[in-house]
């Protein structure tokens, strides 16, 4: 085969020719045009890319690649603050089962590796609003770091406390609770479990929307924190409203000799709070066999704690009520009832044991007060309530 170079005339496109088998083949002119156009486009794209990189940075031209697997944040996993700081948002998405399980976490070392200031958890069990909130706002003022607040209301209730209020965003996930039924005890266990998530909460007080404090914060704090015992009534009532409500189907977990009755409004320490939320032994028995006219909120906790830790109970409530009018509920007091004589009656003539010693301070809270009592209480608070 002979290769023959054909000389091109000036001004004409070069064409390569070859002789194969005595014939001449010419490279198509259209293909050459496409090749030249491709080279021009590549050159133009290179110029534009250099310009964009110079003025806008590499990320404008080159798509940045982000890894799918995010590296672990070792700082969060290794700092103690993660475990000791209280939840920043009380409205979690845990179920009751998950919440109760989480609340039972207990450190095995008694000495805390940080400066722990014990707090009192004030747990408000209410259907909706807190009409006496202004009294409590004044009570808590200036005592940050010594208390926590938790509100269990109807799930449909939306609180409108302003951001500066001590009650702002203190509602917990709640469910409907009915007086005298197990759902009421469920609400109380829910309050305790949420409060246990704060490792600094040492004492837990159950209150209603109709409760007021009878002393200033410092007095109540020292009284509660300094007590060797928890304040829950545990009475053996032989009558129809005590042992008469006992059901023999509760055996063998609950014997009639252990059956107790007490006020719903209690105060317990952290150890007893954990006993309450972790219980799976007594709960099924009370849920099935203590229904109206057996009012479970009067019997479940007093009976269970009598069996498990009777030596830790003071056998009295911290909340004063008036049953003198008779009926299924204590007396309710409105604005016309709030006088100096009435308030004196709350403080005088009481005698009890505090840490084994006689004391005239037996109640530090009182109920039931209607919304109409707020103004009169506000006026008399500096003289009687101490704040």
């Amino acid at each position: 085969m002979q290769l023959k170079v054909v000389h091109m005339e000036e001004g004409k496109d070069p064409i390569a020719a070859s002789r194969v088998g005595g014939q001449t083949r010419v490279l198509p002119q259209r293909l050459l045009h496409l090749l030249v156009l491709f080279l021009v486009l590549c050159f133009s794209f290179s110029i534009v890319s250099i310009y964009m990189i110079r003025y806008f940075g590499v990320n404008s031209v080159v798509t940045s690649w982000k890894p799918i697997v995010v590296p672990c944040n070792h700082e969060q996993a290794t700092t103690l603050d993660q475990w000791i700081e209280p939840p920043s948002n009380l409205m979690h998405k845990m179920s009751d089962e998950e919440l109760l399980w989480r609340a039972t976490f207990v450190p095995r070392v008694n000495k805390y590796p940080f400066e722990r200031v014990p707090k009192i958890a004030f747990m408000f069990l209410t259907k909706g609003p807190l009409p006496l909130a202004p009294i409590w706002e004044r009570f808590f003022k200036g005592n940050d770091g010594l208390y926590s607040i938790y509100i269990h209301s109807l799930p449909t209730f939306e609180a409108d406390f302003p951001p500066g209020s001590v009650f702002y965003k203190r509602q917990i996930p709640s469910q409907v609770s009915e007086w005298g039924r197990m759902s009421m005890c469920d609400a109380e266990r829910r309050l305790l479990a949420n409060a246990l998530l704060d490792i600094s909460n040492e004492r837990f007080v159950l209150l209603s929307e109709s409760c007021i404090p009878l002393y200033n914060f410092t007095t109540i704090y020292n009284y509660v924190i300094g007590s060797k015992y928890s304040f829950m009534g545990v009475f053996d009532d032989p009558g129809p409203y005590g042992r008469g409500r006992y059901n023999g189907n509760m055996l063998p977990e609950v014997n009639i000799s252990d059956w107790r009755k007490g006020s719903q409004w209690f105060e317990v320490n952290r150890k007893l709070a954990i006993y309450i939320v972790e219980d799976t032994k007594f709960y099924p028995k009370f849920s099935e066999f203590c229904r109206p006219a057996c009012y479970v909120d009067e019997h479940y906790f007093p009976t269970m704690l009598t069996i498990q830790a009777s030596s830790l109970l003071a056998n009295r409530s911290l909340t004063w009520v008036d049953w003198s009018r008779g009926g299924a509920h204590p007396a309710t007091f409105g604005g016309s009832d709030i006088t100096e004589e009435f308030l004196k009656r709350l403080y005088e003539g009481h005698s009890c044991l505090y840490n084994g010693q006689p004391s005239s301070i037996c109640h530090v809270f009182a109920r039931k007060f209607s919304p109409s009592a707020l103004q009169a209480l506000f006026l008399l608070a500096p003289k009687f309530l101490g704040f």
Side-chain angles (χ1 to χ4, degrees):
M1 180 180 70
Q2 291 180 327
L3 179 63
K4 183 176 181 180
V5 179
V6 182
H7 296 283
M8 303 297 150
E9 297 180 5
E10 292 182 1
K12 302 237 180 128
D13 293 333
I15 299 176
S18 62
R19 181 178 298 277
V20 180
Q23 297 180 352
T24 302
R25 284 189 175 182
V26 181
L27 189 65
Q29 189 175 23
R30 181 177 178 83
L31 182 61
L32 283 176
H33 285 163
L34 291 174
L35 179 62
V36 171
L37 180 61
F38 175 75
L39 293 174
V40 170
L41 288 175
C42 290
F43 179 77
S44 301
F45 180 76
S46 300
I47 296 299
V48 172
S49 298
I50 292 172
Y51 174 83
M52 293 182 70
I53 290 172
R54 180 176 179 182
Y55 288 94
F56 299 103
V58 178
N59 291 333
S60 300
V61 181
V62 182
T63 302
S64 59
W65 177 81
K66 296 182 179 180
I68 297 177
V69 179
V70 179
C72 295
N73 190 333
H74 296 288
E75 183 66 22
Q76 288 185 354
T78 57
T79 31
L80 184 63
D81 289 346
Q82 179 191 11
W83 305 102
I84 64 176
E85 288 184 358
S88 58
N89 185 3
L90 297 186
M91 297 302 292
H92 55 74
K93 296 182 179 180
M94 287 186 284
S95 66
D96 275 0
E97 182 181 12
E98 293 168 336
L99 173 65
L100 295 176
W101 176 81
R102 173 64 183 86
T104 58
F105 285 13
V106 179
R108 304 296 295 177
V109 178
N110 292 328
K111 185 177 180 180
Y112 293 93
F114 59 94
E115 186 178 354
R116 178 179 181 266
V117 178
K119 297 193 294 187
I120 298 177
F122 292 83
M123 308 179 303
F124 290 86
L125 181 58
T126 175
K127 291 182 178 179
L130 296 176
L132 303 178
I135 288 287
W136 287 101
E137 295 273 7
R138 184 185 289 185
F139 169 78
F140 287 118
K141 186 177 181 181
N143 295 285
D144 295 347
L146 298 177
Y147 68 88
S148 302
I149 294 174
Y150 303 86
I151 303 172
H152 188 292
S153 60
L154 290 174
T156 55
F157 174 71
E158 295 184 7
D160 59 352
F161 296 108
S165 170
V166 296
F167 297 104
Y168 181 66
K169 290 188 175 181
R170 301 311 298 177
Q171 285 179 277
I172 65 168
S174 60
Q175 297 182 25
V176 175
S177 57
E178 298 179 84
W179 176 70
R181 297 187 178 272
M182 202 61 179
S183 59
M184 183 68 72
C185 294
D186 290 335
E188 294 168 9
R189 293 195 345 145
R190 203 172 292 124
L191 278 164
L192 285 169
N194 279 276
L196 282 167
L197 298 183
D198 185 343
I199 193 67
S200 293
N201 284 333
E202 184 60 30
R203 311 291 294 221
F204 305 79
V205 180
L206 182 66
L207 302 160
S208 75
E209 75 279 6
S210 66
C211 288
I212 64 167
L214 293 179
Y215 298 91
N216 61 38
F217 183 90
T218 300
T219 300
I220 293 180
Y221 179 86
N222 291 335
Y223 191 94
V224 173
I225 293 293
S227 176
K228 299 177 182 178
Y229 304 98
S230 292
F231 297 92
M232 180 177 290
V234 284
F235 304 100
D236 182 7
D237 181 356
Y241 303 113
R243 289 198 179 197
R245 295 173 176 175
Y246 174 78
N247 188 323
N249 289 312
M250 292 188 174
L251 289 170
E253 287 80 7
V254 181
N255 193 292
I256 192 171
S257 61
D258 300 318
W259 186 255
R260 295 293 184 271
K261 179 181 179 179
S263 171
Q264 175 187 5
W265 311 103
F266 60 78
E267 182 280 328
V268 294
N269 63 18
R270 192 172 185 89
K271 182 177 182 179
L272 298 188
I274 293 174
Y275 280 167
I276 291 173
V277 301
E278 73 180 3
D279 174 47
T280 57
K281 178 180 179 180
F282 303 99
Y283 182 94
K285 292 289 185 175
F286 279 89
S287 180
E288 185 174 0
F289 300 114
C290 185
R291 299 181 179 182
C294 174
Y295 297 101
V296 66
D297 51 284
E298 296 181 2
H299 296 282
Y300 174 34
F301 298 153
T303 300
M304 180 189 67
L305 293 182
T306 294
I307 296 172
Q308 292 191 304
S310 60
S311 62
L312 299 180
L313 301 177
N315 193 20
R316 63 183 178 90
S317 174
L318 286 179
T319 304
W320 178 89
V321 290
D322 182 2
W323 291 95
S324 62
R325 300 181 186 180
H329 301 280
T332 298
F333 304 101
S336 60
D337 298 305
I338 311 304
T339 62
E340 291 194 11
E341 290 71 25
F342 170 78
L343 290 178
K344 286 179 181 179
R345 186 159 61 94
L346 299 184
Y347 296 96
E348 298 175 353
H350 301 292
S351 178
C352 58
L353 292 178
Y354 175 78
N355 289 340
Q357 301 297 320
S359 174
S360 59
I361 300 179
C362 300
H363 305 101
V364 295
F365 307 106
R367 63 186 301 267
K368 301 173 57 174
F369 295 89
S370 68
S372 65
L374 177 61
Q375 184 176 0
L377 288 170
F378 233 87
L379 292 175
L380 294 173
K383 181 175 181 179
F384 288 92
L385 308 185
F387 55 88

